[in-house]
Amino acid sequence: MQWERGLVTGASAGIGRAMAMQLAAAGVDLVLVARNGDRLEELAEELRAGGSGLEVEVLAADLADPAGLAAVEDRVASDEAPIDLLVNNAGLGYEGPFHAQEADQVSETIGVNVLALVRLTHAALKTMTARGKGQVVLVSSMASLQGLPMTAVYAATKAFITSLGEALHEEHKSTDVTVTTVLPGLTRTEFHERGRWDLGNWPSAGWQSADAVAAEALRAAANSRPEVVTGLHNRLLAVFSSKAPRGIRRSILGWNARRNWR
Ligand SMILES: NC(=O)c1ccc[n+]([C@@H]2O[C@H](COP(=O)([O-])OP(=O)(O)OC[C@H]3O[C@@H](n4cnc5c(N)ncnc54)[C@H](OP(=O)(O)O)[C@@H]3O)[C@@H](O)[C@H]2O)c1
């Protein structure tokens, strides 16, 4: 991998943790960001113990909190031990009818998935453009491809990310600064338990491991690709989604969501 130092948000668990481990294995120095400092310290110790002189910083911060976000923004823009890879991975989403969600949950979802991602991407692209080199990865979702009843806010935040990533990739085309958007489908992490999703009936073939998603995401970024849908089954679903008339997609998803929530 071509990077010297990567900053990964949401590195304490799931896909972010898997990406941090794969980057470390490839000799990329790291800055690990999430709220749970103990988990980050534990991971940092494990990575440093690899013995290759890897530098791993821990930056415990809540990206939904303005002070936490500002601290991470400062680190992204810093000229000391500069970041040449930003992985915007931290994210969350609650399942359930929109009107029944707590207003704070809605704000938290938009704060982390949208506002923090935009501010960190802005800080990174500003400094990377000045340096003439760098990469930003945006972790979106298959949920970005259509409105999703019962996870409406989450899907809308991800649609924002996919749209932003597509535009920013083109803005930086033909330069050594690139933006890659990653669209995972169902991935085995802590995500669904945190957001109280009920996916008990979902067939196991529809799931990927965090390691598999991380590997596909980093490969796509290393090749400066605009976008990657991870997993063959998700790529097939994405093609279907792009071909099916919007009204039909909406009716199928709406029917399924109402049936499950009755
Ligand atoms: N799992 C899936 O099926 C799936 C599918 C498509 C896309 N994705 C996307 O993949 C990304 C990673 O999710 P995951 O599945 O790996 O979930 P996860 O296991 O729940 O991990 C989420 C990570 O985000 C961090 N995080 C959450 N809120 C934060 C906050 N306010 N400030 C800082 N860090 C915060 C968490 O750390 P702390 O709790 O320590 O802060 C954790 O490290 C998300 O953007 C998600 O939308 C997941």
Side-chain angles (χ1 to χ4, degrees), residues 26 28 30 85 97-98 100 122 131 148 176 200 209 257 261:
V28 181
L30 287 168
L85 170 69
F98 174 64
H122 183 257
R131 289 182 201 131
L148 278 187
D176 287 330
S209 69
W261 275 88

Side-chain angles (χ1 to χ4, degrees), residues 179-222:
V179 178
T180 298
T181 307
V182 182
L183 281 69
L186 291 175
T187 310
R188 291 193 195 286
T189 66
E190 298 170 16
F191 178 87
H192 301 102
E193 199 182 326
R194 290 176 194 249
R196 295 172 220 128
W197 295 45
D198 179 8
L199 294 169
N201 294 331
W202 210 265
S204 61
W207 292 81
Q208 279 192 290
S209 69
D211 283 340
V213 171
E216 284 191 61
L218 293 175
R219 201 177 314 125

